[in-house]
Amino acid sequence: MLRPTTRVAVFQVAILLAVAAVAYVVQGEKTALSAAYGAAVTLLGSLLMLASERESESHSEWTAQRQLGQFFRLAAERYLLAGSLLALGFLSGKVDPLALITGFVAGQFGWLAALKK
């Protein structure tokens, strides 16, 4: 059985591939790459969370206060990462903005899909 965060990342990879394939068939290469970029942003945030979870598990001596601090730091890092990568995509001028946001939103559904057993 996979860990919940690993399951989320697996679902997000599947969503990334599906969104890119559908966008490619419907609109072409630029739209597919834009949608894949948006989904990849959510995947990177999940991978950051997975790395933090693994680090936390390897430090059983950390107090609850330290764990909570790590959690808040991770939340801030994920928001900054997502915001920066989305801004970079939009400011590049090389992406289809609607496809990028669609891929990002679809990637977020990986969290909901992973909750279902």
Side-chain angles (χ1 to χ4, degrees):
M1 185 77 171
L2 294 174
R3 300 169 186 228
T5 47
T6 304
R7 198 168 49 237
V8 168
V10 168
F11 276 103
Q12 287 177 334
V13 168
I15 288 170
L16 185 151
L17 295 172
V19 166
V22 168
Y24 184 78
V25 169
V26 173
Q27 291 287 327
E29 185 178 349
K30 179 181 178 182
T31 304
L33 290 173
S34 299
Y37 182 83
V41 170
T42 61
L43 177 61
L44 289 173
S46 295
L47 293 176
L48 182 65
M49 178 179 280
L50 186 58
S52 179
E53 178 186 26
R54 299 249 166 110
E55 178 190 11
S56 178
E57 287 176 352
S58 68
H59 293 282
S60 58
E61 74 278 0
W62 285 358
T63 64
Q65 184 177 5
R66 172 86 188 259
Q67 294 277 0
L68 186 61
Q70 292 292 103
F71 175 76
F72 286 133
R73 189 190 80 186
L74 173 65
E77 287 173 351
R78 289 183 68 221
Y79 279 116
L80 287 172
L81 177 71
S84 299
L85 290 175
L86 289 174
L88 183 66
F90 286 128
L91 295 175
S92 74
K94 297 179 182 179
V95 298
D96 178 3
L98 182 59
L100 191 148
I101 289 296
T102 302
F104 181 76
V105 170
Q108 294 295 339
F109 280 108
W111 286 94
L112 295 175
L115 292 176
K116 236 178 182 189
K117 291 188 178 190

